[in-house]
Amino acid sequence: GNSSPVGAGGDDVVMFFIHGSMGHMQQFEHQILYCVSKGWTVVAFDAYGCGESPKPYDWDAYSHEEQFEDLKAMYNMYKGRRNFLVGHSYGASMAMQLCAAMGGDGCIPGLILVGPGYGPSHYPSKSVKIFRNPVILLQLIAPLLRRGFVQRALHQHTLEQKTVEHQRLVERIAAKQGSNAMHICKSFYMQMEWVIPETIQKVDADVVLVVGEGDKMLPPHNAACLADLLRTQRPQRETELFVLSNSSHQVMQELPSEVNKLLDTFVVRTLKTRRV
């Protein structure tokens, strides 16, 4: 595969963490550490062109097809008896596509979708269309793009930086965004493919959705529409939606304890009710 995995634990319960567009696995650090403390296997990775993975000048390497093939290869390599997919933002879309592609083999009892979205609800957005511009122009406006991302991805409560934790979070997210190469951003965003309703109906797993009430990138209404679609198209499966206050798109970083609690409750309950 084209990704850089990090794993720990056994192979009975496996937690796969799938980051969002131009994100990185460290965005899940609080959830990863929590899952390891529970004795669950953790598989986290940086998609090609993201985090610590290679970043060549290769348009096709960042296509949806290549990214998805990497994800499937990662899953098939590390999957256990019971597998949970934790996806954030575009990673939530990829998680649903992966679950559907597995054909309901029963090995994926649950999905945790954080700040999720799906194709018809918002794509293509203005923030994506900007990447149609030449790379040289994108490089010039990169500081503006980084600043805009931080403002939209974090809640005002976090941006006020009244605590040391919030100050560090704002600094880290700004620094990470600044490290994203514009040739990769352009290649990735121009070829991304969000999950569509026809694929969502094939998601044979229980689903919990978690979204920050102040999310300006994929607003709570987005998650509510997705939750309704999941309930309508898969009435035999459980679907829950949680909207958390004082948080935005990076809700798992802004409210790690709350998200960990929801994750734990969902996984434990699903393991009891969905025998594999």
Side-chain angles (χ1 to χ4, degrees):
N2 287 333
S3 304
S4 301
V6 173
D11 61 0
D12 179 39
V13 177
V14 184
M15 306 294 296
F16 286 87
F17 288 89
I18 309 169
H19 66 71
S21 60
M22 299 310 301
H24 53 92
M25 62 182 173
Q26 290 181 351
Q27 292 174 325
F28 288 116
E29 62 179 334
H30 298 290
Q31 289 70 48
I32 289 172
L33 291 173
Y34 184 82
C35 290
V36 170
S37 74
K38 296 285 292 187
W40 300 329
T41 297
V42 167
V43 178
F45 63 98
D46 289 326
Y48 204 50
C50 301
E52 300 302 318
S53 286
K55 301 173 177 61
Y57 282 84
D58 184 348
W59 177 272
D60 294 334
Y62 308 110
S63 69
H64 175 266
E65 291 76 14
E66 287 293 327
Q67 297 274 329
F68 191 58
E69 284 303 313
D70 279 356
L71 178 58
K72 287 196 293 185
M74 194 71 60
Y75 174 78
N76 288 323
M77 183 180 299
Y78 294 103
K79 67 180 180 181
R81 190 165 68 91
R82 296 177 289 183
N83 308 279
F84 289 82
L85 310 181
V86 186
H88 173 240
S89 191
Y90 188 63
S93 175
M94 295 285 274
M96 286 185 278
Q97 293 179 64
L98 176 61
C99 184
M102 292 302 104
D105 61 3
C107 293
I108 304 177
L111 273 60
I112 298 95
L113 309 180
V114 184
Y118 67 104
S121 59
H122 80 287
Y123 182 81
S125 66
K126 292 180 180 178
S127 59
V128 171
K129 289 180 180 178
I130 198 170
F131 289 100
R132 293 175 179 172
N133 286 294
V135 172
I136 189 169
L137 175 58
L138 294 174
Q139 290 171 336
L140 289 173
I141 64 174
L144 295 176
L145 295 176
R146 179 174 67 247
R147 193 176 309 124
F149 176 85
V150 173
Q151 292 295 319
R152 296 172 67 200
L154 296 175
H155 193 273
Q156 184 60 37
H157 182 70
T158 305
L159 292 171
E160 290 174 358
Q161 303 183 52
K162 293 181 178 179
T163 68
V164 175
E165 290 77 11
H166 284 170
Q167 182 180 359
R168 290 174 177 171
L169 179 57
V170 172
E171 292 174 351
R172 287 180 60 191
I173 289 181
K176 281 292 184 179
Q177 282 301 116
S179 66
N180 284 336
M182 286 299 108
H183 72 278
I184 299 176
C185 291
K186 180 180 176 67
S187 302
F188 180 87
Y189 286 117
M190 289 296 94
Q191 300 181 84
M192 68 193 312
E193 296 179 18
W194 288 84
V195 65
I196 57 176
E198 290 77 8
T199 301
I200 291 173
Q201 69 181 0
K202 299 176 184 177
V203 175
D204 188 20
D206 290 346
V207 178
V208 62
L209 303 93
V210 183
V211 61
E213 54 90 11
D215 195 331
K216 299 182 185 68
M217 304 193 79
L218 294 173
H221 173 70
N222 226 302
C225 290
L226 176 57
D228 288 342
L229 186 62
L230 286 163
R231 293 189 186 105
T232 301
Q233 298 197 355
R234 318 159 322 113
Q236 76 283 8
R237 283 295 197 171
E238 295 290 331
T239 300
E240 288 185 287
L241 169 64
F242 295 92
V243 181
L244 304 186
S245 60
N246 292 325
S247 60
S248 184
H249 197 56
Q250 302 302 115
V251 58
M252 71 287 193
Q253 293 178 282
E254 293 181 292
L255 299 176
S257 297
E258 289 84 342
V259 173
N260 288 349
K261 183 177 180 180
L262 290 173
L263 183 152
D264 181 270
T265 300
F266 175 73
V267 171
V268 171
R269 184 183 70 234
T270 304
L271 289 174
K272 290 180 180 177
T273 58
R274 303 290 182 181
R275 302 290 182 180
V276 178

